[in-house]
Amino acid sequence: MTILEEIIAFKQHETAERRELVPIKKLERSEHFNVPAVSLAGYLRRPDKVGIIAEIKRRSPSKGVLNEYISVEQLSIGYMQAGASALSILTDTKYFGGNNDDLTMARRFNYCPVLRKDFVVDEYQIVEARAIGADAILLIAGVLSEKQIEQFASLAGSLGLEVVLEIHSAEELPGGLENIDVLGVNNRNLQDFTTNVDRSFELAEVLPPNGVVKISESGLGDAETIIKLKQAGFQGFLIGETFMRTSRPEEACAALVQKLQEAKN
């Protein structure tokens, strides 16, 4: 069993338990459930921003501990002040060290869009995302059927959530992109967790030229690569490990944003 297969099997079990402990009707009574979501796609299109989606990730299955004892309140505010366009919050506990409270905390102290980063395998998780304060969810094409993608994206849209569809190959690109707001290319191979930024440049040639916002994920860190990715048609850049491996992730984010702003002027 690969790491990805193990994670998906665990998610299915975990979600079944959550559904019993916290029924959907209770989720729908959350204070966040009916608050209008902030548009991730809208923020990534803003000309005054540089498209950085700054991630809070304590650890990963491949790299182990990155930054275990961060304050979500301080770091999320720091990322915002640094000029990030959006936040990405890992809510998986077993493999990434996050939790739902991390996202709710980030939502409470920030006005930018917040992406819930997790392995969605059940509609329950989408309703849960809305209840904890997320503005957008991640759907991973490599672990879902095209029918599941359509169903999950439709449900998310009906709840006011935007959808990031993540692909790793041209074969994973679905026939239609209805209810898909952001198309992400993951430079990390989820089978062995290796990264190769060339993946984004290769897939840029087959991605839809207009409409959906395009982002590159994983393995990013230097301004030069991001500038080239912008030229290739990407509008957003999800960065986690590069920031989280430093003692002050928000300062690393600020330094990168400044370089990208200078390159624009």
Side-chain angles (χ1 to χ4, degrees), residues 3-23:
I3 296 175
L4 179 60
E5 289 170 338
E6 179 186 329
I7 292 173
I8 295 306
F10 176 77
K11 280 292 157 188
Q12 290 167 337
H13 172 73
E14 179 187 56
T15 303
E17 286 190 339
R18 283 186 186 273
R19 187 190 294 271
E20 288 196 8
L21 291 171
V22 186

Side-chain angles (χ1 to χ4, degrees), residues 56-58 68 70-73 76 87-93 96-110 114 132:
I56 295 180
K57 177 165 68 171
R58 291 182 175 86
E68 191 81 27
I70 50 93
S71 161
V72 173
E73 176 185 343
S76 64
L87 300 172
S88 171
I89 311 293
L90 265 296
T91 56
D92 172 80
T93 302
F96 292 89
N99 56 67
N100 288 349
D101 289 341
D102 287 346
L103 193 145
T104 302
M105 178 72 71
R107 168 77 291 146
R108 182 175 299 129
F109 289 100
N110 297 276
V114 181
I132 63 176

Side-chain angles (χ1 to χ4, degrees), residues 139-164:
L139 298 181
I140 303 174
V143 302
L144 299 171
S145 68
E146 195 157 331
K147 184 177 180 181
Q148 284 177 310
I149 292 171
E150 291 176 4
Q151 291 175 338
F152 290 178
S154 177
L155 174 60
S158 73
L159 295 175
L161 292 167
E162 291 193 344
V163 174
V164 178

Side-chain angles (χ1 to χ4, degrees), residues 21-131:
L21 291 171
V22 186
I24 284 180
K25 285 193 177 297
K26 186 172 181 179
L27 293 176
E28 291 173 342
R29 292 198 293 269
S30 162
E31 63 178 306
H32 300 287
F33 200 79
N34 293 308
V35 175
V38 184
S39 173
L40 174 62
Y43 263 66
L44 293 176
R45 289 189 178 104
R46 281 178 53 166
D48 60 322
K49 297 284 188 180
V50 295
I52 299 298
I53 305 171
E55 188 161 86
I56 295 180
K57 177 165 68 171
R58 291 182 175 86
R59 60 176 185 264
S60 78
S62 59
K63 301 294 178 63
V65 174
L66 301 172
N67 205 325
E68 191 81 27
Y69 302 108
I70 50 93
S71 161
V72 173
E73 176 185 343
Q74 293 177 2
L75 180 52
S76 64
I77 292 172
Y79 275 154
M80 273 293 299
Q81 292 175 337
S85 299
L87 300 172
S88 171
I89 311 293
L90 265 296
T91 56
D92 172 80
T93 302
K94 183 174 181 179
Y95 299 95
F96 292 89
N99 56 67
N100 288 349
D101 289 341
D102 287 346
L103 193 145
T104 302
M105 178 72 71
R107 168 77 291 146
R108 182 175 299 129
F109 289 100
N110 297 276
Y111 54 82
C112 72
V114 181
L115 168 67
R116 185 194 192 185
K117 188 90 172 287
D118 212 319
F119 294 81
V120 174
V121 296
D122 191 284
E123 291 184 342
Y124 177 87
Q125 294 166 284
I126 301 171
V127 180
E128 184 181 55
R130 191 71 172 99

Side-chain angles (χ1 to χ4, degrees), residues 113-263:
V114 181
L115 168 67
R116 185 194 192 185
K117 188 90 172 287
D118 212 319
F119 294 81
V120 174
V121 296
D122 191 284
E123 291 184 342
Y124 177 87
Q125 294 166 284
I126 301 171
V127 180
E128 184 181 55
R130 191 71 172 99
I132 63 176
D135 300 296
I137 60 164
L138 178 75
L139 298 181
I140 303 174
V143 302
L144 299 171
S145 68
E146 195 157 331
K147 184 177 180 181
Q148 284 177 310
I149 292 171
E150 291 176 4
Q151 291 175 338
F152 290 178
S154 177
L155 174 60
S158 73
L159 295 175
L161 292 167
E162 291 193 344
V163 174
V164 178
L165 177 64
E166 176 182 290
I167 65 170
H168 183 69
S169 67
E171 292 71 30
E172 292 178 353
L173 191 63
L177 294 174
E178 188 175 357
N179 294 311
I180 303 300
D181 304 280
V182 178
L183 191 58
V185 175
N186 194 349
N187 301 311
R188 188 183 306 281
N189 185 325
L190 291 179
Q191 300 301 324
D192 58 18
F193 281 76
T194 57
T195 58
N196 183 355
V197 178
D198 288 340
R199 179 69 56 185
S200 284
F201 290 107
E202 292 166 4
L203 290 183
E205 300 177 7
V206 300
L207 299 181
N210 299 310
V212 65
V213 171
K214 304 167 193 69
I215 67 173
S216 178
E217 312 167 38
S218 303
L220 306 175
D222 64 280
E224 292 74 18
T225 300
I226 291 172
I227 290 168
K228 291 177 182 177
L229 286 167
K230 278 181 176 287
Q231 294 167 347
F234 290 92
Q235 295 150 290
F237 314 92
L238 195 150
I239 302 176
E241 288 184 12
T242 298
F243 297 154
M244 295 301 296
R245 283 187 173 280
T246 67
S247 59
R248 298 295 297 274
E250 68 277 16
E251 292 183 1
C253 179
L256 179 58
V257 168
Q258 183 176 356
K259 287 181 181 179
L260 293 172
Q261 290 284 14
E262 290 172 353

